[in-house]
Each structure stands twice: as C-alpha cells, then as structure tokens.
Amino acid sequence: MLLIRSAVAGAVQRNDIFVRIAPAAAGEGIRISLQSPVAAQFGQAIAATIRAPLADLGIDDAAVEVEDQGALDFAIRARVVAAVRRARGDCGDVS
C-alpha cells in the first residue's frame, strides 16, 4: 500500500509519542528517525514496535520521524496506524 502524502499523529507530551510519516521512493525501505530520552535503553524495542504495524498495513517504503516521551507500546502502535491512515487518505483531511 502506498502513502500519498505526509501525515502526523500524536503529541509531544509526557507518555505520548509524535509520529510523522512521509512517502519514500520504492525500494528505500522503512527509515526511522527516533528521538527519545530512553533511546539508549529501549530504542530497538521502540523501532520494532513502529515497524510491526507498518508491516501489517503493507507499508514497505516510508520515512518515519518519531519524538517519544515514554509512550507505551499500545500508544506507539495506535499513533503509527493513525499516521499511516492519514498518509494514505483513508480518513479524510484530518492531519
């Protein structure tokens, strides 16, 4: 499934995560830029939690920028799904 535009979801506040997703050229794969106060300890786990819903939604190529403020896994997944739906145009112009 292709992304047609850039989109965002979430907020930069405690226990939340801000996700910005943008289309990438075919074959570029998923590029994740992560900013988090816990990146040294949990960066790989956060990246894996971001990649899982992208794979489930069939996204193979995207640039993802993330500002994490201690979000739990369910919040990370929800924000990624919301950003993808907005980037695909699945839910109207709410970005």
Side-chain angles (χ1 to χ4, degrees):
M1 187 63 70
L2 294 176
L3 303 177
I4 58 173
R5 62 181 174 214
S6 297
V8 300
V12 181
Q13 61 184 1
R14 187 175 177 188
N15 298 323
D16 205 348
I17 190 166
F18 180 80
V19 176
R20 179 185 315 271
I21 191 164
E28 285 191 16
I30 304 295
R31 294 186 325 264
I32 298 174
S33 171
L34 173 64
Q35 294 180 357
S36 173
V38 296
Q41 297 150 311
F42 301 110
Q44 290 181 344
I46 294 169
T49 303
I50 293 167
R51 288 180 189 279
L54 293 174
D56 292 345
L57 294 168
I59 304 300
D60 298 320
D61 303 296
V64 184
E65 296 176 22
V66 178
E67 292 180 48
D68 172 56
Q69 298 297 320
L72 298 175
D73 287 0
F74 71 89
I76 297 169
R77 286 189 297 273
R79 298 303 192 191
V80 170
V81 169
V84 168
R85 290 192 62 209
R86 291 172 181 169
R88 289 192 315 204
D90 290 352
C91 55
D93 190 15
V94 294
S95 30

